[in-house]
């Protein structure tokens, strides 16, 4: 199922979207486990996420814990995209997230120049 999003050109460059399908919480879930399970909606993802973050409420994640696990989430996200691209031609298949690309860019840009 396509999400109907479009990558467009902004002033002087290409806009890149950090899409999570079916919900941003899928990115959070990848901090704890790898999964290619099809989720119907955000609530389905939150039910699984609650095994790892029992007190999770939308818009109030435990960012310190997530930050500590960001490398695992990046790895899991890349694996999900690779796996889903084998079976789903959709650019944003369910499940998938491109947030790891944004996070990698932010982490790289925050490094001191001598570490780049």
């Amino acid at each position: 199922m396509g999400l109907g999003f479009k990558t467009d050109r902004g002033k002087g460059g290409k806009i890149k979207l950090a899409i999570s399908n079916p919900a941003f919480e899928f990115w959070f879930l990848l901090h704890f486990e790898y999964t290619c399970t099809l989720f119907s909606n955000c609530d389905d993802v939150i039910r699984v996420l609650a095994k790892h973050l029992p007190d999770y409420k939308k818009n109030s994640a435990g960012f310190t814990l997530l930050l500590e696990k960001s490398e695992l989430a990046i790895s899991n996200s890349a694996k999900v995209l690779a796996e889903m691209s084998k079976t789903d031609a959709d650019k944003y298949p369910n499940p998938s997230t491109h947030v790891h690309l944004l996070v990698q860019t932010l982490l790289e840009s925050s490094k001191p120049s001598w570490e780049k």
Side-chain angles (χ1 to χ4, degrees), residues 9 13 36 38 58 70 105 110:
R9 294 195 180 273
C36 284
L38 176 69
K58 197 156 180 73
S70 61
T105 300
S110 69

Side-chain angles (χ1 to χ4, degrees), residues 34-37 75-89 93-96:
Y34 168 83
T35 182
C36 284
T37 301
S75 173
N76 285 341
S77 181
K79 284 191 246 178
V80 168
L81 281 179
E83 185 62 29
M84 295 306 293
S85 70
K86 294 177 188 174
T87 59
D88 194 327
N94 181 352
S96 69

Side-chain angles (χ1 to χ4, degrees), residues 5-54:
F5 290 104
K6 177 179 150 184
T7 302
D8 204 349
R9 294 195 180 273
K11 291 183 180 179
K14 191 172 184 178
I15 296 170
K16 296 181 181 179
L17 303 175
I19 302 292
S20 290
N21 187 11
F24 189 74
E25 282 78 6
F26 182 66
W27 166 246
F28 294 162
L29 179 60
L30 292 174
H31 286 73
F32 302 97
E33 64 180 75
Y34 168 83
T35 182
C36 284
T37 301
L38 176 69
F39 294 99
S40 297
N41 54 45
C42 181
D43 290 338
D44 286 352
V45 179
I46 290 173
R47 274 191 278 285
V48 178
L49 180 61
K51 296 175 189 173
H52 307 286
L53 293 173

Side-chain angles (χ1 to χ4, degrees), residues 94-114:
N94 181 352
S96 69
T97 184
H98 290 78
V99 174
H100 70 286
L101 300 172
L102 172 62
V103 171
Q104 285 175 314
T105 300
L106 293 172
L107 290 173
E108 185 62 32
S109 68
S110 69
K111 287 182 182 177
S113 60
W114 62 86

